[in-house]
Amino acid sequence: MKKAIVLMMTLGFIAVITALVLYSLSISQKSFGAVAQIDAQNQFALTFKDFTKILDTVTKEIKEPEALDMLLAMDIPPLTEPKSGVTIGLEMDSYMRKINLNAILVQLLKAEGNCDQNMTTELLCRPLDRFFERYEIRDKRLMMDLMLDTVDKDDIEMGSETEIALEDIDFAQGKIYSFNHLQKIFDKYYQLSSDKNIFKLDRETVEDVFYFGDTNLTTQMLDCNVDPLNTQNAFTYILPAHLLDTQSDYCQLFDKKSEMPAGDPELKLIKETFKVKQFDLNDTKSKYLIKCNLILGTGTLENELIFAYDITHKRIDRIEESVSK
């Protein structure tokens, strides 16, 4: 009976969101018709506006973790509206099931990247250490210094030639804004180290584990509701070694009623440091961000817009990247 209800809910979600996408395309077609010489960029802007309304509508029904899983599983393949010839598609993923790289770095700044200062700094360095070890990055200290010098706003170098902004006046500081921004750090790392293993860290590899969130620690969270069979999930990078092959339910592990966090100081500190918790729509103190990849094709031109949508507060949090092909 329970499976039948879940199936009906899933089909209902698919029907609603598909109908809304087609309705959006219809709205866009009417909007396009009202402007005689509208170009592809304006078409994209109109469709983006329509699509944000769709997200506002659909996410009102997302109140439980199960419903969130259904939403994230429903990638919309590119659909073409016959009258306008506009093709639109959407892919979604949860940022909250990945590790916020900027939140780690801004906390390590206080210790100047010293991972051995205390248990907290050791835990903050752990995901970076494991990630770099997995891909055989030879000089982890150099990589850490380059990232820390990017996140801080001064011109004092952590290491030798690690302040990229001193030689590139256009290089942004204060946080790592995107993978393209991180790529510049990788380029500098290769220039200083000649370590070809850095080329293993492509966009997909990095973004499977990390995301480039803000540095406001009060709004952070790490969603414990992840697939334990995914060997690249965030918890494989932060849990103590003895739990890596035994834990199958991370939410249960960190639950308030569980004896594990209370009896294990390291788990308790992991929970506090990475703000581990389960999705809760009523938790308005933190954001729950989903990554939205909106694809729009008009004739021979294809536009791709990546943005972060805050389910909790029903708003666009930030535009990540915009690409025309």
PDB file of all heavy atoms in Angstrom, residues 8 17 40 50 72 90 92 96 118 129 146-147 152 156 172 192 217 225-226 247 266 272-273 302 305 316:
ATOM      1  N   MET A   8       2.078   6.815  -6.753  1.00  0.00           N
ATOM      2  CA  MET A   8       1.080   7.810  -7.174  1.00  0.00           C
ATOM      3  C   MET A   8       1.610   9.231  -6.974  1.00  0.00           C
ATOM      4  O   MET A   8       1.416  10.105  -7.819  1.00  0.00           O
ATOM      5  CB  MET A   8      -0.215   7.619  -6.372  1.00  0.00           C
ATOM      6  CG  MET A   8      -0.994   6.355  -6.742  1.00  0.00           C
ATOM      7  SD  MET A   8      -2.488   6.157  -5.752  1.00  0.00           S
ATOM      8  CE  MET A   8      -3.438   7.583  -6.282  1.00  0.00           C
ATOM      9  N   ILE A  17       4.817  18.864 -12.979  1.00  0.00           N
ATOM     10  CA  ILE A  17       5.966  19.635 -13.444  1.00  0.00           C
ATOM     11  C   ILE A  17       6.050  19.647 -14.968  1.00  0.00           C
ATOM     12  O   ILE A  17       6.412  20.649 -15.572  1.00  0.00           O
ATOM     13  CB  ILE A  17       7.270  19.103 -12.817  1.00  0.00           C
ATOM     14  CG1 ILE A  17       8.358  20.196 -12.890  1.00  0.00           C
ATOM     15  CG2 ILE A  17       7.764  17.837 -13.476  1.00  0.00           C
ATOM     16  CD1 ILE A  17       9.561  19.914 -12.032  1.00  0.00           C
ATOM     17  N   ALA A  40      17.593  36.176 -29.024  1.00  0.00           N
ATOM     18  CA  ALA A  40      17.661  34.934 -28.252  1.00  0.00           C
ATOM     19  C   ALA A  40      17.887  35.196 -26.759  1.00  0.00           C
ATOM     20  O   ALA A  40      17.339  34.494 -25.916  1.00  0.00           O
ATOM     21  CB  ALA A  40      18.782  34.055 -28.799  1.00  0.00           C
ATOM     22  N   ASP A  50       9.661  32.749 -16.324  1.00  0.00           N
ATOM     23  CA  ASP A  50       8.559  31.781 -16.237  1.00  0.00           C
ATOM     24  C   ASP A  50       8.955  30.573 -15.399  1.00  0.00           C
ATOM     25  O   ASP A  50       8.163  30.050 -14.614  1.00  0.00           O
ATOM     26  CB  ASP A  50       8.153  31.306 -17.646  1.00  0.00           C
ATOM     27  CG  ASP A  50       7.523  32.417 -18.477  1.00  0.00           C
ATOM     28  OD1 ASP A  50       7.033  33.381 -17.868  1.00  0.00           O
ATOM     29  OD2 ASP A  50       7.552  32.316 -19.705  1.00  0.00           O
ATOM     30  N   LEU A  72      14.222  15.890  -7.013  1.00  0.00           N
ATOM     31  CA  LEU A  72      15.583  15.862  -7.526  1.00  0.00           C
ATOM     32  C   LEU A  72      15.783  14.755  -8.567  1.00  0.00           C
ATOM     33  O   LEU A  72      16.670  14.842  -9.410  1.00  0.00           O
ATOM     34  CB  LEU A  72      16.585  15.673  -6.382  1.00  0.00           C
ATOM     35  CG  LEU A  72      16.645  16.819  -5.370  1.00  0.00           C
ATOM     36  CD1 LEU A  72      17.557  16.460  -4.216  1.00  0.00           C
ATOM     37  CD2 LEU A  72      17.104  18.108  -6.035  1.00  0.00           C
ATOM     38  N   LEU A  90      15.604  20.929 -17.913  1.00  0.00           N
ATOM     39  CA  LEU A  90      16.064  21.280 -16.569  1.00  0.00           C
ATOM     40  C   LEU A  90      16.657  20.062 -15.873  1.00  0.00           C
ATOM     41  O   LEU A  90      16.068  18.982 -15.890  1.00  0.00           O
ATOM     42  CB  LEU A  90      14.899  21.826 -15.730  1.00  0.00           C
ATOM     43  CG  LEU A  90      15.241  22.211 -14.284  1.00  0.00           C
ATOM     44  CD1 LEU A  90      16.126  23.450 -14.249  1.00  0.00           C
ATOM     45  CD2 LEU A  90      13.973  22.444 -13.465  1.00  0.00           C
ATOM     46  N   MET A  92      18.365  18.980 -12.014  1.00  0.00           N
ATOM     47  CA  MET A  92      18.449  19.461 -10.633  1.00  0.00           C
ATOM     48  C   MET A  92      19.300  18.535  -9.777  1.00  0.00           C
ATOM     49  O   MET A  92      19.355  17.331 -10.004  1.00  0.00           O
ATOM     50  CB  MET A  92      17.041  19.587 -10.032  1.00  0.00           C
ATOM     51  CG  MET A  92      16.204  20.696 -10.635  1.00  0.00           C
ATOM     52  SD  MET A  92      14.518  20.765  -9.958  1.00  0.00           S
ATOM     53  CE  MET A  92      13.772  19.336 -10.751  1.00  0.00           C
ATOM     54  N   MET A  96      23.117  20.758  -0.911  1.00  0.00           N
ATOM     55  CA  MET A  96      23.227  20.487   0.522  1.00  0.00           C
ATOM     56  C   MET A  96      23.716  19.069   0.824  1.00  0.00           C
ATOM     57  O   MET A  96      23.949  18.725   1.977  1.00  0.00           O
ATOM     58  CB  MET A  96      21.884  20.710   1.213  1.00  0.00           C
ATOM     59  CG  MET A  96      21.329  22.123   1.061  1.00  0.00           C
ATOM     60  SD  MET A  96      22.346  23.403   1.847  1.00  0.00           S
ATOM     61  CE  MET A  96      23.354  23.985   0.483  1.00  0.00           C
ATOM     62  N   ASN A 118      44.003  21.790  16.230  1.00  0.00           N
ATOM     63  CA  ASN A 118      43.075  21.161  17.171  1.00  0.00           C
ATOM     64  C   ASN A 118      42.188  20.179  16.405  1.00  0.00           C
ATOM     65  O   ASN A 118      42.343  20.011  15.183  1.00  0.00           O
ATOM     66  CB  ASN A 118      42.229  22.208  17.918  1.00  0.00           C
ATOM     67  CG  ASN A 118      41.543  23.176  16.957  1.00  0.00           C
ATOM     68  OD1 ASN A 118      40.922  22.770  15.983  1.00  0.00           O
ATOM     69  ND2 ASN A 118      41.675  24.483  17.227  1.00  0.00           N
ATOM     70  N   ASP A 129      42.107  16.613   2.454  1.00  0.00           N
ATOM     71  CA  ASP A 129      43.195  15.630   2.454  1.00  0.00           C
ATOM     72  C   ASP A 129      42.795  14.363   1.712  1.00  0.00           C
ATOM     73  O   ASP A 129      43.552  13.846   0.872  1.00  0.00           O
ATOM     74  CB  ASP A 129      43.582  15.270   3.896  1.00  0.00           C
ATOM     75  CG  ASP A 129      44.419  16.354   4.560  1.00  0.00           C
ATOM     76  OD1 ASP A 129      44.991  17.179   3.829  1.00  0.00           O
ATOM     77  OD2 ASP A 129      44.493  16.366   5.801  1.00  0.00           O
ATOM     78  N   LEU A 146      47.186  28.173  -1.826  1.00  0.00           N
ATOM     79  CA  LEU A 146      46.583  28.874  -2.971  1.00  0.00           C
ATOM     80  C   LEU A 146      45.098  29.145  -2.732  1.00  0.00           C
ATOM     81  O   LEU A 146      44.595  30.237  -3.033  1.00  0.00           O
ATOM     82  CB  LEU A 146      46.774  28.046  -4.244  1.00  0.00           C
ATOM     83  CG  LEU A 146      48.176  28.050  -4.858  1.00  0.00           C
ATOM     84  CD1 LEU A 146      48.329  26.916  -5.854  1.00  0.00           C
ATOM     85  CD2 LEU A 146      48.456  29.389  -5.534  1.00  0.00           C
ATOM     86  N   MET A 147      44.395  28.173  -2.190  1.00  0.00           N
ATOM     87  CA  MET A 147      42.964  28.351  -1.937  1.00  0.00           C
ATOM     88  C   MET A 147      42.721  29.340  -0.794  1.00  0.00           C
ATOM     89  O   MET A 147      41.827  30.187  -0.869  1.00  0.00           O
ATOM     90  CB  MET A 147      42.308  26.997  -1.634  1.00  0.00           C
ATOM     91  CG  MET A 147      42.265  26.071  -2.831  1.00  0.00           C
ATOM     92  SD  MET A 147      41.200  24.614  -2.594  1.00  0.00           S
ATOM     93  CE  MET A 147      42.079  23.777  -1.276  1.00  0.00           C
ATOM     94  N   ASP A 152      40.996  34.667   1.518  1.00  0.00           N
ATOM     95  CA  ASP A 152      41.262  35.877   2.318  1.00  0.00           C
ATOM     96  C   ASP A 152      41.286  37.100   1.399  1.00  0.00           C
ATOM     97  O   ASP A 152      41.349  36.983   0.179  1.00  0.00           O
ATOM     98  CB  ASP A 152      42.551  35.738   3.135  1.00  0.00           C
ATOM     99  CG  ASP A 152      43.825  35.778   2.297  1.00  0.00           C
ATOM    100  OD1 ASP A 152      43.786  36.271   1.156  1.00  0.00           O
ATOM    101  OD2 ASP A 152      44.864  35.305   2.778  1.00  0.00           O
ATOM    102  N   ILE A 156      48.838  39.341   1.623  1.00  0.00           N
ATOM    103  CA  ILE A 156      49.940  38.655   2.294  1.00  0.00           C
ATOM    104  C   ILE A 156      49.918  37.183   1.902  1.00  0.00           C
ATOM    105  O   ILE A 156      48.912  36.501   2.071  1.00  0.00           O
ATOM    106  CB  ILE A 156      49.816  38.798   3.827  1.00  0.00           C
ATOM    107  CG1 ILE A 156      49.795  40.276   4.215  1.00  0.00           C
ATOM    108  CG2 ILE A 156      50.970  38.077   4.528  1.00  0.00           C
ATOM    109  CD1 ILE A 156      49.478  40.521   5.678  1.00  0.00           C
ATOM    110  N   ALA A 172      39.410  37.369  -8.632  1.00  0.00           N
ATOM    111  CA  ALA A 172      38.515  37.681  -7.513  1.00  0.00           C
ATOM    112  C   ALA A 172      38.982  37.016  -6.231  1.00  0.00           C
ATOM    113  O   ALA A 172      39.506  35.903  -6.243  1.00  0.00           O
ATOM    114  CB  ALA A 172      37.093  37.236  -7.840  1.00  0.00           C
ATOM    115  N   LEU A 192      53.441  26.166 -10.540  1.00  0.00           N
ATOM    116  CA  LEU A 192      54.408  26.132  -9.436  1.00  0.00           C
ATOM    117  C   LEU A 192      54.946  24.731  -9.145  1.00  0.00           C
ATOM    118  O   LEU A 192      56.056  24.581  -8.625  1.00  0.00           O
ATOM    119  CB  LEU A 192      53.768  26.699  -8.165  1.00  0.00           C
ATOM    120  CG  LEU A 192      53.383  28.183  -8.194  1.00  0.00           C
ATOM    121  CD1 LEU A 192      52.618  28.557  -6.932  1.00  0.00           C
ATOM    122  CD2 LEU A 192      54.611  29.072  -8.355  1.00  0.00           C
ATOM    123  N   LEU A 217      28.442  31.119   7.902  1.00  0.00           N
ATOM    124  CA  LEU A 217      28.346  29.808   8.540  1.00  0.00           C
ATOM    125  C   LEU A 217      26.996  29.568   9.199  1.00  0.00           C
ATOM    126  O   LEU A 217      26.616  28.423   9.435  1.00  0.00           O
ATOM    127  CB  LEU A 217      29.458  29.649   9.583  1.00  0.00           C
ATOM    128  CG  LEU A 217      30.894  29.782   9.042  1.00  0.00           C
ATOM    129  CD1 LEU A 217      31.898  29.611  10.177  1.00  0.00           C
ATOM    130  CD2 LEU A 217      31.158  28.768   7.947  1.00  0.00           C
ATOM    131  N   ASN A 225      20.694  12.902   4.321  1.00  0.00           N
ATOM    132  CA  ASN A 225      19.912  11.959   3.517  1.00  0.00           C
ATOM    133  C   ASN A 225      20.570  11.764   2.150  1.00  0.00           C
ATOM    134  O   ASN A 225      20.125  12.296   1.135  1.00  0.00           O
ATOM    135  CB  ASN A 225      18.472  12.469   3.351  1.00  0.00           C
ATOM    136  CG  ASN A 225      17.568  11.435   2.715  1.00  0.00           C
ATOM    137  OD1 ASN A 225      17.761  10.232   2.882  1.00  0.00           O
ATOM    138  ND2 ASN A 225      16.584  11.898   1.972  1.00  0.00           N
ATOM    139  N   VAL A 226      21.665  11.002   2.133  1.00  0.00           N
ATOM    140  CA  VAL A 226      22.395  10.735   0.892  1.00  0.00           C
ATOM    141  C   VAL A 226      22.451   9.234   0.650  1.00  0.00           C
ATOM    142  O   VAL A 226      22.198   8.432   1.552  1.00  0.00           O
ATOM    143  CB  VAL A 226      23.830  11.310   0.938  1.00  0.00           C
ATOM    144  CG1 VAL A 226      23.807  12.802   1.151  1.00  0.00           C
ATOM    145  CG2 VAL A 226      24.653  10.632   2.028  1.00  0.00           C
ATOM    146  N   GLN A 247      28.527   2.175   7.984  1.00  0.00           N
ATOM    147  CA  GLN A 247      27.338   3.006   8.151  1.00  0.00           C
ATOM    148  C   GLN A 247      26.495   3.052   6.880  1.00  0.00           C
ATOM    149  O   GLN A 247      26.994   3.314   5.801  1.00  0.00           O
ATOM    150  CB  GLN A 247      27.746   4.428   8.547  1.00  0.00           C
ATOM    151  CG  GLN A 247      26.567   5.318   8.901  1.00  0.00           C
ATOM    152  CD  GLN A 247      25.729   4.740  10.024  1.00  0.00           C
ATOM    153  OE1 GLN A 247      26.270   4.236  10.994  1.00  0.00           O
ATOM    154  NE2 GLN A 247      24.425   4.813   9.888  1.00  0.00           N
ATOM    155  N   GLU A 266      34.070  12.734  18.607  1.00  0.00           N
ATOM    156  CA  GLU A 266      34.426  13.083  17.232  1.00  0.00           C
ATOM    157  C   GLU A 266      33.179  13.233  16.361  1.00  0.00           C
ATOM    158  O   GLU A 266      33.066  14.186  15.583  1.00  0.00           O
ATOM    159  CB  GLU A 266      35.352  12.021  16.632  1.00  0.00           C
ATOM    160  CG  GLU A 266      35.818  12.383  15.223  1.00  0.00           C
ATOM    161  CD  GLU A 266      36.816  11.393  14.640  1.00  0.00           C
ATOM    162  OE1 GLU A 266      37.301  10.528  15.410  1.00  0.00           O
ATOM    163  OE2 GLU A 266      37.107  11.471  13.441  1.00  0.00           O
ATOM    164  N   GLU A 272      28.512  19.221  14.527  1.00  0.00           N
ATOM    165  CA  GLU A 272      28.526  20.665  14.787  1.00  0.00           C
ATOM    166  C   GLU A 272      29.318  21.421  13.723  1.00  0.00           C
ATOM    167  O   GLU A 272      28.905  22.491  13.265  1.00  0.00           O
ATOM    168  CB  GLU A 272      29.130  20.935  16.172  1.00  0.00           C
ATOM    169  CG  GLU A 272      28.298  20.400  17.326  1.00  0.00           C
ATOM    170  CD  GLU A 272      29.022  20.480  18.659  1.00  0.00           C
ATOM    171  OE1 GLU A 272      30.215  20.880  18.655  1.00  0.00           O
ATOM    172  OE2 GLU A 272      28.413  20.141  19.693  1.00  0.00           O
ATOM    173  N   THR A 273      30.455  20.866  13.311  1.00  0.00           N
ATOM    174  CA  THR A 273      31.340  21.560  12.371  1.00  0.00           C
ATOM    175  C   THR A 273      30.738  21.664  10.980  1.00  0.00           C
ATOM    176  O   THR A 273      30.800  22.723  10.332  1.00  0.00           O
ATOM    177  CB  THR A 273      32.701  20.830  12.279  1.00  0.00           C
ATOM    178  OG1 THR A 273      33.290  20.777  13.580  1.00  0.00           O
ATOM    179  CG2 THR A 273      33.643  21.550  11.332  1.00  0.00           C
ATOM    180  N   GLU A 302      22.135  27.709 -28.263  1.00  0.00           N
ATOM    181  CA  GLU A 302      21.730  27.063 -27.016  1.00  0.00           C
ATOM    182  C   GLU A 302      22.317  27.835 -25.838  1.00  0.00           C
ATOM    183  O   GLU A 302      23.504  28.130 -25.814  1.00  0.00           O
ATOM    184  CB  GLU A 302      22.200  25.610 -26.960  1.00  0.00           C
ATOM    185  CG  GLU A 302      21.782  24.892 -25.682  1.00  0.00           C
ATOM    186  CD  GLU A 302      22.209  23.434 -25.652  1.00  0.00           C
ATOM    187  OE1 GLU A 302      21.626  22.637 -26.415  1.00  0.00           O
ATOM    188  OE2 GLU A 302      23.138  23.101 -24.898  1.00  0.00           O
ATOM    189  N   LEU A 305      22.000  28.058 -18.237  1.00  0.00           N
ATOM    190  CA  LEU A 305      22.094  28.877 -17.040  1.00  0.00           C
ATOM    191  C   LEU A 305      22.080  27.985 -15.814  1.00  0.00           C
ATOM    192  O   LEU A 305      21.175  27.179 -15.634  1.00  0.00           O
ATOM    193  CB  LEU A 305      20.920  29.862 -16.965  1.00  0.00           C
ATOM    194  CG  LEU A 305      20.926  30.826 -15.779  1.00  0.00           C
ATOM    195  CD1 LEU A 305      22.063  31.820 -15.916  1.00  0.00           C
ATOM    196  CD2 LEU A 305      19.596  31.558 -15.667  1.00  0.00           C
ATOM    197  N   ILE A 316      15.584  32.657  -5.838  1.00  0.00           N
ATOM    198  CA  ILE A 316      16.876  32.409  -6.468  1.00  0.00           C
ATOM    199  C   ILE A 316      17.951  32.935  -5.522  1.00  0.00           C
ATOM    200  O   ILE A 316      17.932  34.106  -5.137  1.00  0.00           O
ATOM    201  CB  ILE A 316      16.986  33.134  -7.824  1.00  0.00           C
ATOM    202  CG1 ILE A 316      15.856  32.697  -8.766  1.00  0.00           C
ATOM    203  CG2 ILE A 316      18.351  32.864  -8.454  1.00  0.00           C
ATOM    204  CD1 ILE A 316      15.902  31.249  -9.161  1.00  0.00           C
TER     205      ILE A 316
END
